[in-house]
């Protein structure tokens, strides 16, 4: 990777890039900037924050082309990965560290975050997203902001009562896929707080299935894509983004060496945050205190601008050098190569968090789609199928026997009771799961959500109507099969009626043609501008101070 | 809470007044473009918030007004659909981007097209299915549930059927097409209405069976009360073989049962028919009798086969064949590849399914197998046997009958100057085949035999006979076209397209005088006031025995 940098230093190839002066210092690139209008606040920020800025370039030059190639087969907005990265990460870790400390009053602080800061974060999170993706993220964030105070209070209370368990998460393997512990911080808080929600959003975007499709486009190998998916699904998106960047470089995604150089720089510079924040939150008390001090400043109102947070990163960087004797770049390169070679998510986390210094070569890992992994938190059982297979061999040692896969049996009552609670508390999320727009929380089943929704719909005509409208989705079709089992399920009749009405108009295609032609009429009617002067006056008056 | 400082709000206002901000353009933009555009007037820092408020307060309002204005301009939208759209629009809590296919917008358009399930429908269906659930006894098999349970299920089925149209016309041209189908359907219903013709016409092959007797007895209840029809459906649903009947509903020609929109009886096709009060009783009698007969014959046959030790349950093909035979024997033929063109065919021909059924009835004993063949042979033999018995008895009593299949009067008995068909409408089909085999035809009035296909100038061919057979079965509307082309009506009167009393009378007769009424009037006129003869002919015509009077 460094070879590319050397090559460009020698050739001094001029290119146009859009990141700032701070990053240009010592750079081999010559900047050719056309005359530009006065800089916006955002542009200024980008100049002062080369990491974030450059990450945007990677997004534009590297990830987006990869994504574009995959888009034909992948419907999910994978392009969000690069955009979300840094902006979300420091906040996630910052907040999480405070929750860890049991700072219940942080909820109040978050609630009082000045609007410009919120806007900035929103901007960061949604940067790189386009059209519907952006809208979706915005809705998500707004929802998060709405529920954040209450959620944080609950989270803080939970943290107070479960300090040890949470500490274990960070000190053990940070595996949020463990639903019990994820419930403590990752999932429980993750769905509520906008910033963590953004991470969850990213994690939800790349599921193993999508990754395998991405892999099948030829841009990345399947194992690389699987690694991305597993990593992105882990607690820290910084790690995921870093590995992703590394893989993008390795996979020769674009064949453009200048871009590779940029990507390399991003990965290494980004590692300051990746290693620094993660490692120090766990190990370095003084850094933790600094972060606490920073938060105290936020609380007292001394700091009201998110940009100030970047100062923490510099300090962390210095501490890393003093503690390890290596620059963050060197440290990360070493660790990334170890982590990537291992292909094991838990080990990657351990390595990147500084918990272990050597990688134990892992056994061959076979990844299976998440939808095929048994769920459950009940009694641990050995796989009967695998046992029968192993018993077929002679001279089986105890070591061999210990390799028989185990799984946790699902407790049906617990699963249904979870699903009922989930549906009643998150009807919109439940509907999205059934629409196929979202995966069920890790460790839970689609069908549990359906069964609980269906149960609720028996008494709720509106919900029944919504469920019956899922006809065009795969799950809609599954619903129609499942409802056949229950002759009294109104969704069954509503779905049937909906299908019959569509058949009466001549089928789906005729319906779509008519919707398209009527849409044009509606839009014509809307774009006529039906507003009068008084409407505009009232609007301006209503938003004026 | 965000607010715009005076400097910016003034600038915004001034830009609007001076025309720097074009409201129309602002509305058309998507979110990022609008934010960028607004930043020129309210600053970068405020643009996002101003746009967000613009979208939630003003753009949403504009979109709501636009959609309501569109809904008001849509022709043919009923008041309740319009209100449903307005209610949905006023409840919107966010503006949408018109450039994108928006689910909200699609939902509203689906309401306008009439393909969405309305909130009221969902509510009623939910209530009824919950009511059914409460009455459901889980310890019992579905076939052993109480009558109360099945009554609620019938109500649910009937409600869903009543709210699910069999066709929706999204465009004006299609609406015109459907209106035309409705008009022809209603007009045909008028012609066949006011009688109880199903028993001796469609049901003739089962005359004398217990299914026919019971259906005939109940037919008068169906004519009198809609609840009797609902009770029939409850009986059908509660029957132990209801699932088999439901599975073969279409083949068996059942026009009730289940939740899917119903096929209609040929004589009462179209939405208009059910809206004409005078036709309702006749339709109920017709529909009730035939559903009663078909369903009970089907399930009784299954029962009898099961009792005999041979099983038909689970044999889908055998059940379908049996259903097909019973449907054909009761006048509902299968149009085969023309099935999808049935509505168009029904516009041109009086009753295409009936015609198909007569041919099927003759061929089913040959082509079907197993229980279906037995049923086909039995029903044909019964029809032939009872016809021969009536004709024989009438002849022995000194009456005039026609047994030469080459004559148009074949299978008929003569009452005064009128001929009454006692073969359940099968005779013309046998005549057509007989004429084809012998290449001879017998005059209905003179009794003379004529050779077909002689090659002499002006002589008739078998093709002419077959063409007459088809054109004589034209629907009332197409029969007017036929008569105009021929220049004369069926009874030889001149027909010319003109504003004259004769043509008006002809049209009235063709379009609005029911066949039953024509038969009664003709028979009475020709009977010279003989009330007994008139009563016999009228009674025959009332229950479906075709009456032809030669003047």
């Amino acid at each position: 990777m460094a070879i590319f940098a050397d090559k460009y230093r020698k050739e001094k190839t001029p290119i146009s890039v859009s990141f700032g002066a701070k990053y240009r210092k010592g750079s081999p690139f010559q900047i050719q900037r056309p005359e530009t209008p006065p800089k916006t606040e955002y542009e200024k920020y980008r100049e002062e924050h080369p990491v974030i800025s450059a990450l945007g370039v990677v997004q534009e030059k590297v990830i987006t082309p990869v994504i574009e190639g995959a888009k034909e087969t992948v419907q999910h907005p994978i392009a969000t990965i690069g955009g979300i990265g840094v902006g979300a990460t420091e906040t996630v870790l910052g907040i999480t560290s405070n929750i860890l400390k049991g700072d219940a009053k942080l909820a109040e602080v978050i609630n009082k975050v000045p609007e410009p800061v919120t806007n900035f974060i929103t901007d960061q999170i949604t940067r790189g997203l386009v059209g519907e993706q952006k809208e979706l993220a915005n809705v998500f964030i707004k929802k998060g902001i709405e529920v954040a105070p209450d959620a944080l209070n609950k989270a803080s209370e939970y943290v107070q009562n479960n300090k040890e368990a949470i500490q274990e998460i960070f000190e053990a393997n940070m595996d949020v896929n463990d639903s019990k512990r994820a419930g403590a911080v990752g999932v429980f808080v993750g769905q509520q707080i906008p910033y963590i929600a953004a991470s969850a959003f990213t994690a939800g975007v790349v599921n193993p299935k999508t990754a395998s499709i991405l892999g099948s486009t030829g841009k990345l190998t399947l194992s690389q894509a699987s690694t991305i998916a597993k990593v992105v699904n882990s607690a820290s998106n910084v790690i995921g983004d870093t590995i992703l960047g590394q893989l993008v470089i390795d996979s020769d995604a674009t064949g453009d060496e200048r871009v590779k150089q940029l990507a390399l720089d991003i990965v290494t510079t980004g590692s300051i945050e990746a290693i620094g924040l993660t490692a120090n939150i766990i190990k370095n008390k003084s850094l933790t205190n600094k972060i606490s001090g920073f938060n105290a400043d936020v609380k007292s109102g001394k700091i009201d601008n998110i940009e100030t947070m970047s100062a923490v990163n510099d300090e962390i960087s210095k501490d890393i050098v003093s503690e390890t004797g290596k620059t963050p770049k060197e440290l990360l390169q070493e660790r990334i190569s170890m982590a990537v070679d291992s292909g094991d998510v838990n080990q990657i986390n351990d390595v990147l968090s500084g918990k272990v210094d050597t990688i134990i070569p892992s056994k061959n890992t076979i990844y299976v789609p998440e939808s095929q992994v048994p769920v459950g938190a009940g009694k641990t059982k050995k796989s009967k199928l695998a046992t029968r297979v192993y018993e077929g061999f002679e001279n089986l040692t105890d070591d061999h026997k210990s390799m028989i896969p185990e799984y946790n049996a699902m407790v049906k009552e617990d699963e249904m009771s979870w699903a009922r609670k989930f549906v009643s508390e998150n009807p919109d999320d439940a509907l999205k799961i059934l629409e196929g727009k979202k995966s069920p929380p890790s460790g839970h089943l689609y069908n549990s959500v359906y069964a609980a929704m269906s149960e609720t719909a028996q008494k709720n005509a509106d919900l029944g109507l919504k469920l019956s409208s899922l006809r065009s989705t795969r799950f809609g079709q599954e619903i129609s099969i499942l409802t056949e089992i229950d002759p009294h399920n109104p969704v069954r009749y509503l779905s049937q009626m909906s299908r019959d009405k569509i058949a009466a108009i001549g089928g789906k295609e005729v319906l779509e043609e008519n919707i398209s032609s009527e849409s044009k009429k509606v839009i014509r009617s809307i774009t006529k501008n039906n507003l009068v002067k008084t409407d505009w006056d009232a609007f301006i008056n209503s938003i004026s101070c | 809470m965000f607010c715009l400082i005076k400097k910016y709000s003034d600038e915004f206002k001034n830009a609007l007044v001076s025309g720097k901000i074009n409201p129309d353009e602002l509305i058309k933009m998507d979110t990022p473009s609008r934010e960028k555009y607004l930043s020129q007037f309210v600053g970068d820092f405020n643009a996002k918030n101003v746009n967000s408020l613009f979208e939630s307060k003003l753009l949403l309002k504009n979109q709501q007004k636009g959609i309501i204005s569109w809904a008001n301009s849509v022709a043919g939208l009923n008041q309740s659909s319009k209100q449903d759209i307005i209610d949905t629009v006023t409840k919107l809590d966010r503006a949408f981007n018109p450039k994108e296919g928006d689910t909200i917008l699609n939902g509203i358009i689906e309401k306008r097209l009439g393909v969405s399930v309305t909130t009221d429908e969902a509510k009623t269906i939910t209530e009824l299915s919950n009511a059914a659930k409460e009455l459901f006894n889980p310890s019992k098999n579905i076939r052993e549930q109480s009558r109360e349970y099945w009554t609620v299920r019938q109500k649910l089925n009937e409600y869903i059927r009543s709210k699910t149209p069999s066709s929706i016309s999204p465009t004006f041209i299609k609406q015109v097409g459907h209106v035309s189908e409705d008009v022809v359907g209603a007009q045909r219903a008028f012609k066949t209405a006011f009688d109880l013709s199903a028993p001796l016409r469609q049901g003739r092959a089962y005359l004398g069976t217990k299914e026919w007797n019971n259906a005939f007895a109940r037919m008068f209840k169906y004519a009198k009360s809609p609840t009797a029809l609902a009770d029939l459906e409850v009986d059908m649903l509660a029957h132990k073989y209801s699932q088999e009947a439901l599975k073969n509903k279409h083949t068996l020609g059942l026009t009730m049962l289940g939740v899917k929109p119903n096929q209609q009886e040929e004589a009462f096709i179209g939405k208009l028919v059910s809206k004409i009060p005078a036709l309702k009783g006749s339709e109920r009698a017709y529909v009730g009798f035939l559903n009663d007969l078909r369903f009970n014959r089907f399930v009784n046959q299954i029962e009898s086969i099961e009792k005999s030790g041979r099983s038909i349950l689970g044999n889908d093909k055998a059940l379908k064949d049996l259903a097909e035979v019973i449907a054909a024997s009761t006048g509902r033929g299968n149009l085969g590849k023309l099935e999808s063109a049935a509505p168009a065919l029904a516009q041109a021909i009086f009753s295409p399914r009936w015609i198909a059924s007569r041919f099927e009835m003759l061929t089913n004993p040959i082509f079907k197998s197993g229980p279906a063949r037995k049923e086909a042979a039995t029903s044909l033999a019964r029809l032939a046997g009872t016809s021969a018995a009536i004709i024989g008895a009438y002849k022995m009593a000194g009456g005039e009958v026609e047994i030469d299949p080459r004559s148009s009067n074949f299978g008929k008995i003569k009452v005064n100057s009128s001929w009454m068909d006692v073969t359940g409408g099968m005779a013309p089909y046998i005549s057509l085949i007989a004429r084809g085999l012998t290449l001879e035809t017998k005059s209905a009035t003179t009794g003379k035999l004529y050779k077909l296909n002689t090659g002499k100038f002006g002589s008739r061919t078998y093709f002419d006979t077959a063409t007459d057979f088809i054109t004589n079965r034209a629907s009332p509307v197409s029969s007017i076209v036929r008569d105009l082309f021929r220049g004369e009506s069926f009874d030889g009167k001149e027909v010319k397209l003109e504003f004259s009393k004769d043509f008006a009378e002809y049209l009235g007769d063709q379009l609005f005088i029911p066949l039953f009424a024509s038969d009664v009037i003709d028979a009475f006129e020709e009977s010279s006031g003989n009330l007994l003869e008139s009563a016999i002919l009228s009674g025959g015509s009332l229950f479906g025995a075709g009456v032809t009077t030669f003047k």
Side-chain angles (χ1 to χ4, degrees):
Chain A
M1 287 169 279
I3 298 167
F4 302 127
D6 290 338
K7 186 179 170 190
Y8 280 100
R9 276 189 196 101
K10 282 172 195 164
E11 294 178 6
K12 292 188 185 259
T13 311
I15 60 162
S16 294
V17 290
S18 59
F19 50 84
K22 207 170 173 182
Y23 189 69
R24 293 201 304 273
K25 203 172 177 181
S27 159
F29 308 132
Q30 290 179 354
I31 309 301
Q32 293 179 341
R33 194 186 292 277
E35 272 191 30
T36 49
K39 287 173 187 145
T40 62
E41 290 295 317
Y42 176 60
E43 282 166 343
K44 283 180 199 162
Y45 178 85
R46 284 182 62 168
E47 281 192 359
E48 288 162 23
H49 294 79
V51 173
I52 294 171
S53 173
L55 197 66
V57 176
V58 176
Q59 160 78 20
E60 185 187 330
K61 302 281 183 186
V62 183
I63 300 175
T64 304
V66 174
I67 300 316
E68 285 304 315
K71 260 188 181 171
E72 282 179 15
T73 45
V74 185
Q75 296 301 312
H76 299 286
I78 303 168
T80 55
I81 299 165
I84 289 174
V86 174
T89 309
E90 47 191 12
T91 322
V92 169
L93 293 175
I95 289 173
T96 312
S97 73
N98 281 284
I99 291 172
L100 249 183
K101 291 195 297 135
D103 186 352
K105 288 189 178 175
L106 185 68
E108 289 173 33
V109 180
I110 298 294
N111 196 26
K112 288 174 188 167
V113 171
E115 201 158 30
V117 179
T118 312
N119 286 344
F120 174 78
I121 293 168
T122 305
D123 202 31
Q124 281 300 303
I125 292 172
T126 59
R127 195 160 52 83
L129 305 188
V130 290
E132 194 180 325
Q133 300 165 4
K134 191 157 188 157
E135 260 187 34
L136 187 65
N138 271 325
V139 170
F140 206 66
I141 293 159
K142 276 179 193 161
K143 178 73 186 163
I145 289 171
E146 262 173 46
V147 298
D150 184 43
L152 275 168
N153 276 327
K154 283 183 190 166
S156 299
E157 191 184 322
Y158 186 92
V159 166
Q160 289 283 22
N161 299 331
N162 298 277
K163 272 183 187 173
E164 284 176 19
I166 296 164
Q167 192 66 35
E168 188 196 339
I169 295 169
F170 282 82
E171 289 185 353
N173 58 16
M174 297 185 71
D175 183 5
V176 291
N177 288 323
D178 180 328
S179 63
K180 266 189 174 174
R181 285 180 295 181
V185 178
V187 174
F188 181 75
V189 182
Q191 288 179 343
Q192 311 288 341
I193 306 170
Y195 320 124
I196 298 179
S199 302
F201 177 65
T202 315
V205 164
V206 181
N207 57 41
K209 190 179 171 190
T210 309
S212 68
I213 297 170
L214 182 63
S216 71
T217 62
K219 300 287 184 186
L220 298 174
T221 66
L222 193 59
S223 67
Q224 284 171 335
S226 293
T227 308
I228 294 174
K230 293 295 259 182
V231 170
V232 174
N233 270 318
S234 71
S236 167
N237 277 299
V238 167
I239 299 167
D241 290 332
T242 311
I243 300 291
L244 175 67
Q246 186 68 42
L247 289 172
V248 168
I249 296 161
D250 290 344
S251 67
D252 191 13
T254 64
D256 186 335
E257 289 179 347
R258 291 169 300 177
V259 175
K260 282 180 199 167
Q261 178 56 41
L262 279 175
L264 174 64
D265 285 349
I266 298 316
V267 170
T268 48
T269 324
S271 69
I272 296 170
E273 287 151 313
I275 292 190
L277 284 173
T278 311
N280 283 291
I281 283 168
I282 298 166
K283 294 166 72 177
N284 190 323
K285 280 187 182 172
S286 67
L287 267 177
T288 312
N289 291 338
K290 282 176 192 169
I291 293 173
S292 307
F294 167 75
N295 282 314
D297 287 345
V298 173
K299 197 194 290 186
S300 63
K302 277 185 195 167
I303 297 173
D304 63 356
N305 191 330
I306 195 74
E307 293 171 30
T308 321
M309 289 182 87
S310 64
V312 178
N313 295 336
D314 293 339
E315 290 181 30
I316 292 167
S317 181
K318 283 175 202 161
D319 284 351
I320 287 170
V321 176
S322 68
E323 274 196 10
T324 64
K326 291 175 183 171
T327 65
K329 185 171 178 172
E330 287 163 348
L331 189 63
L332 186 78
Q333 277 186 316
E334 184 187 312
R335 286 177 181 276
I336 281 178
S337 59
M338 284 164 69
V340 172
D341 287 347
S342 82
D344 182 301
V345 177
N346 292 333
Q347 289 199 13
I348 290 171
N349 282 323
D350 287 346
V351 170
L352 293 177
S353 64
K355 194 179 173 192
V356 295
D357 290 328
T358 52
I359 285 284
I360 304 154
S362 64
K363 293 166 193 164
N364 283 342
T365 306
I366 299 167
Y367 293 105
V368 293
E370 197 176 327
S371 59
Q372 292 176 18
V373 177
V375 301
K379 212 172 168 184
T380 303
K381 293 180 175 177
K382 283 199 185 301
S383 160
K384 283 184 185 168
L385 176 65
T387 308
R388 282 201 299 275
V389 172
Y390 275 66
E391 281 170 0
F393 295 104
E394 289 177 0
N395 306 323
L396 224 58
T397 64
D398 285 346
D399 280 351
H400 289 133
K401 281 178 188 167
S402 71
M403 289 166 74
I404 296 174
E406 291 177 338
Y407 66 96
N408 290 330
M410 184 182 73
V411 182
K412 287 176 195 163
E413 292 78 12
D414 290 353
E415 177 69 5
M416 271 317 291
S417 136
W418 165 83
R420 285 189 194 103
K421 191 166 177 252
F422 179 76
V423 166
S424 70
E425 288 173 3
N426 312 281
D428 291 339
D429 284 348
L431 202 62
K432 277 180 188 155
I433 289 170
L434 298 190
E435 284 170 342
K437 290 179 181 168
K438 214 176 162 181
S439 299
S442 188
H444 294 288
L445 300 170
Y446 273 103
N447 284 344
S448 316
V449 179
Y450 165 69
M453 279 289 261
S454 182
E455 214 175 79
T456 317
Q458 298 247 354
K459 303 283 174 200
N460 182 336
D462 279 345
L463 192 57
L465 202 51
K466 281 180 184 167
L467 275 183
S468 70
S469 70
L470 301 178
R471 58 180 183 263
S472 58
T473 64
R474 162 70 188 271
F475 211 76
Q477 292 168 333
E478 287 178 15
I479 283 172
S480 72
I481 298 294
L482 287 169
T483 51
E484 292 298 318
I485 299 164
D486 178 7
H488 307 109
N489 193 325
V491 180
R492 167 191 178 151
Y493 298 108
L494 295 171
S495 302
Q496 179 67 50
M497 198 175 184
S498 176
R499 283 197 298 273
D500 287 340
K501 284 188 174 187
I502 291 170
I505 204 171
K508 257 186 188 177
E509 283 182 12
V510 177
L511 175 65
E512 277 162 17
E513 279 168 23
N514 280 285
I515 284 180
S516 162
S517 89
E518 285 298 323
S519 285
K520 284 175 191 158
K521 289 181 195 167
V522 177
I523 288 165
R524 268 204 297 276
S525 179
I526 289 171
T527 47
K528 267 183 190 170
N529 183 14
N530 298 287
L531 301 172
V532 292
K533 186 178 175 295
T534 49
D535 292 328
W536 286 96
D537 285 343
F539 168 65
I540 296 172
N541 290 338
S542 74
I543 63 168
S544 302
C545 297
Chain B
M1 189 69 192
F2 170 82
C3 65
L4 194 61
I5 60 167
K6 194 169 182 311
K7 176 192 159 203
Y8 286 124
S9 66
D10 286 347
E11 204 167 314
F12 192 8
K13 245 183 210 173
N14 292 337
L16 269 169
V17 174
S18 67
K20 269 188 193 170
I21 290 180
N22 180 343
D24 290 346
E25 289 304 314
L26 204 60
I27 283 163
K28 284 179 198 167
M29 286 174 191
D30 59 15
T31 304
S33 320
R34 200 181 299 112
E35 277 172 15
K36 200 174 168 192
Y37 184 72
L38 285 172
S39 67
Q40 300 170 55
F41 310 100
V42 298
D44 290 337
F45 200 67
N46 294 317
K48 203 175 188 74
N49 278 317
V50 171
N51 181 58
S52 165
L53 289 164
F54 170 79
E55 286 184 0
S56 63
K57 290 190 172 180
L58 214 53
L59 187 62
L60 176 61
K61 197 174 175 186
N62 180 58
Q63 288 180 348
Q64 285 169 327
K65 280 186 174 180
I67 298 172
I68 291 170
S69 147
W70 160 79
N72 284 327
S73 70
V74 172
L77 196 63
N78 64 40
Q79 194 50 43
S80 100
S81 303
K82 202 175 279 185
Q83 195 53 49
D84 204 13
I85 290 175
I86 292 169
D87 288 348
T88 309
V89 172
T90 45
K91 279 181 198 160
L92 286 179
D93 59 359
R94 72 167 180 88
F96 54 84
N97 183 354
K99 286 181 185 170
E100 294 167 11
D102 194 287
T103 48
I104 296 169
L105 190 57
N106 289 357
I108 291 167
I109 292 171
E110 283 188 4
K111 281 182 198 290
R112 170 263 177 270
L113 293 171
V115 293
S116 64
V117 179
T118 67
T119 314
D120 282 349
E121 286 167 354
K123 207 175 155 196
T124 308
I125 289 169
T126 305
E127 280 168 9
L128 284 170
S129 48
N130 281 330
K133 191 172 189 173
E134 276 174 23
L135 290 166
F136 184 77
N137 184 343
S139 64
K140 287 185 176 174
N141 185 292
I142 183 84
R143 295 178 195 235
E144 295 166 356
Q145 296 300 317
S146 66
R147 192 169 173 81
E148 288 74 25
Y149 168 78
W150 287 114
T151 304
V152 175
R153 284 291 299 270
Q154 189 276 333
K155 278 184 188 158
L156 175 64
N157 289 357
E158 197 178 17
Y159 179 78
I160 294 173
R161 286 199 305 259
S162 71
K163 297 292 176 186
T164 313
S166 54
S167 64
I168 295 173
S169 317
T171 61
F172 179 71
I173 293 172
K174 286 201 173 170
Q175 276 169 8
V176 170
H178 282 148
V179 168
S180 145
E181 279 172 22
D182 282 350
V183 169
V184 172
Q187 195 277 317
R188 185 203 337 264
F190 249 110
K191 291 296 284 183
T192 53
F194 312 110
D195 62 27
L196 302 167
S197 61
L200 290 184
R201 198 164 169 80
Q202 283 85 353
R204 176 68 177 76
Y206 290 103
L207 178 67
T209 61
K210 66 176 177 187
E211 292 88 5
W212 189 95
N213 294 340
N214 291 337
F216 185 71
R218 289 190 282 256
M219 181 175 74
F220 300 96
K221 282 189 201 163
Y222 303 144
K224 199 176 159 191
S225 151
T227 51
L229 260 192
D231 284 346
L232 169 64
E233 192 178 348
V234 173
D235 288 340
M236 287 158 81
L237 285 168
H239 195 279
K240 65 177 175 177
Y241 296 132
S242 65
Q243 288 308 307
E244 284 72 19
L246 195 56
K247 204 170 176 184
N248 292 285
K249 173 185 166 180
H250 193 80
T251 313
L252 188 55
L254 294 181
T255 53
M256 42 205 284
L257 202 64
V259 295
K260 287 185 85 68
N262 281 329
Q263 48 192 342
Q264 289 180 293
E265 289 294 350
E266 227 166 25
F268 296 95
I269 286 177
K271 293 175 196 163
L272 268 180
V273 175
S274 57
K275 289 177 184 163
I276 302 170
L279 296 177
K280 281 184 178 170
S282 179
E283 186 191 8
R284 280 198 304 271
Y286 194 94
V287 168
F289 174 81
L290 287 173
N291 276 274
D292 194 330
L293 177 62
R294 287 170 185 155
F295 178 84
N296 283 309
R297 183 70 191 176
F298 183 67
V299 294
N300 287 348
Q301 283 304 299
I302 295 176
E303 179 75 358
S304 143
I305 294 164
E306 291 294 313
K307 273 188 180 165
S308 72
R310 291 166 297 133
S311 180
I312 192 172
L313 293 175
N315 184 342
D316 289 348
K317 170 141 190 346
L319 283 169
K320 188 169 183 269
D321 281 353
L322 181 64
E324 240 171 46
V325 166
I326 293 172
S329 302
T330 53
R332 195 168 179 94
N334 183 351
L335 295 174
K337 287 181 180 172
L338 292 174
E339 198 66 45
S340 58
L345 267 180
Q347 296 235 35
I349 300 173
F350 199 92
S351 43
R353 286 190 190 281
W354 165 255
I355 296 172
S357 79
R358 298 303 89 181
F359 286 114
E360 277 178 48
M361 220 184 147
L362 292 170
T363 56
N364 276 343
I366 304 164
F367 296 118
K368 295 292 179 194
S369 61
R373 172 185 273 175
K374 189 185 167 200
E375 177 68 8
T378 314
S379 61
L380 185 60
R382 190 181 302 107
L383 178 62
T386 49
S387 302
I390 295 167
I391 289 168
Y394 195 70
K395 189 172 172 66
M396 279 173 71
E400 194 179 337
V401 299
E402 179 58 88
I403 53 169
D404 188 337
R406 292 166 300 180
S407 168
S408 309
N409 287 337
F410 168 67
K412 291 175 183 169
I413 59 173
K414 191 174 185 188
V415 182
N416 197 17
S417 332
S418 303
W419 289 87
M420 186 159 76
D421 181 9
V422 294
T423 66
M426 181 60 89
Y429 301 86
I430 296 173
S431 288
L432 181 70
I433 295 166
R435 285 168 183 168
L437 293 172
T438 61
L439 288 180
E440 284 177 343
T441 180
K442 186 179 176 182
S443 165
T445 46
T446 65
K448 271 189 181 178
L449 275 176
Y450 294 95
K451 293 269 180 202
L452 298 170
N453 295 3
T454 57
K456 288 178 186 168
F457 178 75
S459 67
R460 286 176 65 79
T461 63
Y462 184 65
F463 179 76
D464 295 331
T465 309
T467 312
D468 281 352
F469 179 86
I470 295 165
T471 53
N472 287 342
R473 275 150 191 80
S475 69
V477 173
S478 37
S479 69
I480 294 171
V481 179
R482 176 200 65 200
D483 290 352
L484 282 169
F485 284 158
R486 279 180 178 168
E488 62 175 24
S489 64
F490 187 71
D491 51 7
K493 284 182 186 166
E494 188 185 29
V495 178
K496 271 169 51 181
L497 187 60
E498 58 185 9
F499 289 103
S500 68
K501 190 186 166 199
D502 286 348
F503 189 63
E505 273 178 9
Y506 163 81
L507 281 183
D509 187 34
Q510 287 293 312
L511 296 174
F512 301 114
I513 305 294
L515 291 175
F516 165 61
S518 304
D519 287 351
V520 172
I521 293 164
D522 289 347
F524 186 76
E525 280 175 359
E526 294 302 314
S527 68
S528 311
N530 185 330
L531 290 177
L532 180 63
E533 284 178 3
S534 298
I536 292 170
L537 291 167
S538 303
S541 183
L542 177 68
F543 291 111
V547 173
T548 315
T549 303
F550 293 100
K551 295 179 181 176

